[in-house]
Amino acid sequence: MIKELEVAKNVKDAVKLIKQGYLPYAGGTEITRLGSFVKGEKFVSLKNCALDTIEEIGDEIKIGAMCTFTDLIKSPIIPDALKKALHFCSSLQKRNMATIGGNIQMHRDDSYLIPTLIAYDSEIESSYGKGRHPMFILDDIDLKREFITYIYIKKNRTVVSDRIANTQASHALITASIGGVSKDEFVISAAIKDTAIISMLGDPSTYATFQDGITFKSDVLYGSKEYKKYITATVIEGLVKEYEKKIGGNK
C-alpha cells in the first residue's frame, strides 16, 4: 500500500530519495497488481525525470525508460517487431500506463518485452551509472537502489516473436523471440511462465537444443514439465522458420 509518494524533480533527485528508502514508481501497473512482489509504503514517481524520449542515434534507437507502451506503438521509428510485442499487452488502459523500463525492471517470467528486446541485442543504462550493459545483466538491477533510465535497440536486426497464452488477456505460458543479422548469427530468447527467462546464441541446426538449458517446472495453471517442453520446442521451431524466411528476404 502506498502511504507516501514523492515526485522526483530529476534522476538525481530520484536517486537521492531511493537512498532514503523510497521505491521507484513508473507507470504503476505492477505496484497496483494483486499479488505483486513489489512491497513498500514509500515510493518516488519518475514522471518528471525527462525519461520519455525516443530518438535515432546512428544505427540505434534510444528509448527513455518512462515511455509507455502506447508512446512506443505510436512512434514512427519503433520497429514493427517491437510494436508486436507491445501489443502482447491486450489492455489499452494498461498500455497507456505501463512503461518499457518498468516492464524490463520487473524481470517477470511472463514479460511482454524482454525476449524481444534481447533479440534486438538491446543494452540498458541505469541510475546507478557505470555505462551501458547488455540485457543479460537484468538480475543485477537492484530495485532497492536503482532504476533503468534508457534502453538502446539495434535497428539493423531482423526480429520475430510469438506468444502463447490461454487467452489474449491472460498471462503468457511462453513469450519468445529470435533476432539476428544473418541465418548463421542470431539469438533465441524466451520467457516461460513460472520457469525462467532464458537466452542463447544459436544457428538453424541448434535451435532444438535451446530447451536443454531450461529446468522446466510444473504449474497448476500452466501445465506439466512435458507440456511446457513441447510448447517451447514448437514455438521455437516455428520462429526459426519465420526468421529464416525473413532474413532470406532481407526484410
Side-chain angles (χ1 to χ4, degrees), residues 5-251:
L5 179 63
E6 295 286 341
V7 179
K9 300 174 184 177
N10 48 47
V11 170
K12 185 177 180 180
D13 189 31
V15 169
K16 180 180 178 181
L17 287 165
I18 288 172
K19 288 181 178 179
Q20 296 174 13
Y22 287 79
L23 293 174
Y25 182 106
T29 56
E30 177 63 29
I31 293 172
T32 56
R33 181 179 66 86
L34 183 65
S36 172
F37 66 83
V38 180
K39 306 296 183 182
E41 297 180 347
K42 297 164 56 177
F43 291 86
V44 51
S45 171
L46 308 178
K47 70 176 184 178
N48 290 340
C49 290
L51 297 174
D52 57 356
T53 56
I54 307 168
E55 57 181 322
E56 291 182 277
I57 303 175
D59 63 353
E60 295 182 322
I61 299 174
K62 180 181 179 182
I63 303 170
M66 285 295 290
C67 289
T68 67
F69 284 23
T70 298
D71 292 334
L72 296 166
I73 289 169
K74 290 183 177 180
S75 172
I77 65 174
I78 294 297
D80 289 342
L82 181 52
K83 289 186 178 182
K84 178 180 179 179
L86 292 158
H87 275 106
F88 287 158
C89 176
S90 63
S91 166
L92 177 60
Q93 182 180 11
K94 287 184 178 179
R95 292 201 300 265
N96 287 339
M97 295 173 60
T99 64
I100 184 172
N103 188 259
I104 297 169
Q105 190 148 340
M106 290 304 97
H107 203 201
R108 287 170 55 116
D109 56 16
D110 58 0
S111 171
Y112 298 115
L113 304 182
I114 290 176
T116 299
L117 290 169
I118 289 175
Y120 272 109
D121 193 23
S122 301
E123 294 181 325
I124 58 175
E125 288 182 342
S126 82
S127 59
Y128 197 63
K130 298 187 178 181
R132 291 163 56 167
H133 303 278
M135 289 281 292
F136 296 102
I137 60 90
L138 279 175
D139 286 333
D140 295 334
I141 296 294
D142 185 351
L143 184 63
K144 294 182 179 180
R145 71 173 186 178
E146 62 185 312
F147 54 90
I148 295 168
T149 52
Y150 292 100
I151 302 97
Y152 299 81
I153 66 173
K154 308 294 191 301
K155 295 193 298 183
N156 63 344
R157 295 177 70 83
T158 296
V159 175
V160 295
S161 302
D162 197 7
R163 179 180 187 270
I164 303 297
N166 292 331
T167 69
Q168 187 177 9
S170 62
H171 297 304
L173 167 60
I174 178 173
T175 302
S177 295
I178 293 177
V181 295
S182 72
K183 286 186 177 181
D184 301 317
E185 183 182 343
F186 61 86
V187 64
I188 303 171
S189 183
I192 303 167
K193 182 64 180 174
D194 291 321
T195 295
I197 297 175
I198 189 167
S199 305
M200 67 169 282
L201 296 174
D203 61 61
S205 66
T206 63
Y207 73 87
T209 67
F210 176 76
Q211 60 189 349
D212 293 340
I214 306 172
T215 302
F216 289 91
K217 301 175 184 177
S218 297
D219 182 84
V220 174
L221 295 178
Y222 297 95
S224 66
K225 299 176 183 179
E226 292 74 20
Y227 176 70
K228 287 184 175 181
K229 189 173 184 178
Y230 166 75
I231 292 296
T232 300
T234 301
V235 169
I236 297 302
E237 181 178 3
L239 285 176
V240 168
K241 292 178 179 178
E242 183 181 354
Y243 173 78
E244 289 180 325
K245 183 177 180 180
K246 283 199 170 186
I247 202 76
N250 294 318
K251 294 183 181 179

